[in-house]
Amino acid sequence: MLKGVYTTNLSYIPQSYNEKEWLHICDCSSLVADVIYNIHNDKSVSNILREKLGSIKLLEKN
């Protein structure tokens, strides 16, 4: 049985779902902004993604 659902703020979420206790919304706007900035300035996005992947692995261990 599911205890909750995780989604990002990068997709449409009807207002009626925003108030549900089981819905957890993760803010990804800063990540997208960093990726756009790096692409615009001809920089690599590998470091951004590597940092986020490391954070996810730490969460999975706990």
Side-chain angles (χ1 to χ4, degrees):
M1 185 164 155
L2 296 175
K3 295 182 180 181
V5 175
Y6 287 84
T7 187
T8 69
N9 62 332
L10 303 177
S11 58
Y12 174 73
I13 303 165
Q15 188 63 33
S16 60
Y17 288 104
N18 284 341
E19 300 163 0
K20 303 292 184 184
E21 291 181 19
W22 49 264
L23 183 65
H24 308 283
I25 302 171
C26 303
D27 184 4
C28 293
S29 56
S30 63
L31 174 62
V32 172
D34 289 343
V35 169
I36 291 171
Y37 176 85
N38 280 19
I39 290 172
H40 177 74
N41 291 294
D42 294 325
K43 296 181 177 183
S44 173
V45 296
S46 296
N47 289 338
I48 297 169
L49 301 177
R50 195 174 301 119
E51 288 173 8
K52 295 300 174 186
L53 184 58
S55 299
I56 291 170
K57 288 181 180 178
L58 286 174
L59 288 172
E60 287 177 350
K61 289 181 181 179
N62 296 327

